[in-house]
Amino acid sequence: MQSTTDTELLQKLREGDETAFRELYDRHSRTVSAFVYHLTHSAVDAEDILQETFLKLWTSREQLPSIDHIGNYIFMIARNKTLDHLRKIAQQQKLMDRVWANISAPADGIEQQLDARESQQLINKAFAQLTEQQQTIFRLSRQEGMTHEAIAQQLRLSKSRVKNVQVETLRYIRQFLAQYAGPLGVLFVVTSLMKS
């Protein structure tokens, strides 16, 4: 199938040919993965987005428009998925910042103190399950307000390594806290009422 053009592969893909799909994956996955990694600086996220990109290509194969360059089309899917992912991370980062700000702010009233204490215990529990490196990077970033660059210099790591560890740590804490949405939900309601 080496001499088969992308256009021929696209036609076969529309007909549900798995071999054509695998060939397209082999031809384009490395460059797409490198492109996504360049934007996300995370090998884990790049792999996830790569899989989502080709999954979308496969599941929508019958509705694919007329495409001259399938490679460009695959890149467009990957770019859109990467932008969605980065937007989601930015929103989750804001959410985590609010959680930490709310928990570190003094609470008025017994109920609010209980909510804050319960939420703090959950965060401490999540924090205790992190590796020593994750704990150190998270503490320097969140509690001491250091930049990724400053942390990288202090710990003798690359800036991208610090950023990756921070993203993975936030993802883990978010997933851990998501299991206990009730107490955190109460905390958000209470603190938003206090601020409004």
Side-chain angles (χ1 to χ4, degrees), residues 47-65:
E47 181 61 28
D48 288 348
I49 292 169
L50 175 69
Q51 298 306 320
E52 287 175 26
T53 298
F54 278 91
L55 180 63
K56 179 165 177 62
L57 184 68
W58 176 255
T59 55
S60 62
R61 65 191 178 278
E62 292 171 6
Q63 291 84 37
L64 286 174

Side-chain angles (χ1 to χ4, degrees), residues 1-2 9 18-28:
M1 198 177 268
Q2 291 287 49
L9 288 174
E18 291 181 26
T19 308
F21 174 74
R22 276 195 297 275
E23 179 67 20
L24 284 169
Y25 182 89
D26 290 344
R27 287 186 188 185
H28 299 284

Side-chain angles (χ1 to χ4, degrees), residues 96-105 120 123 138 142-143:
M96 283 306 298
D97 288 345
R98 280 179 50 205
V99 170
W100 281 101
N102 290 338
I103 286 167
S104 56
Q120 185 64 56
I123 288 171
F138 197 80
R142 294 280 160 218
Q143 294 169 358

Side-chain angles (χ1 to χ4, degrees), residues 23 103 137 146 152 154:
E23 179 67 20
I103 286 167
I137 289 172
M146 291 175 67
Q154 182 170 322

Side-chain angles (χ1 to χ4, degrees), residues 20 22 27 30-31 40 42 49 53 67 76 82 86-88 95 98 102 116 118 135 146 148-149 171-172 175 179:
R22 276 195 297 275
R27 287 186 188 185
R30 285 185 67 181
T31 50
T40 62
S42 165
I49 292 169
T53 298
I67 303 165
M76 188 182 71
T82 303
L86 293 174
R87 273 191 218 98
K88 197 184 295 180
L95 182 65
R98 280 179 50 205
N102 290 338
E118 191 175 338
Q135 288 182 9
M146 291 175 67
H148 289 159
E149 197 167 351
R171 181 186 294 148
Y172 170 76
Q175 289 169 348
Q179 300 171 39

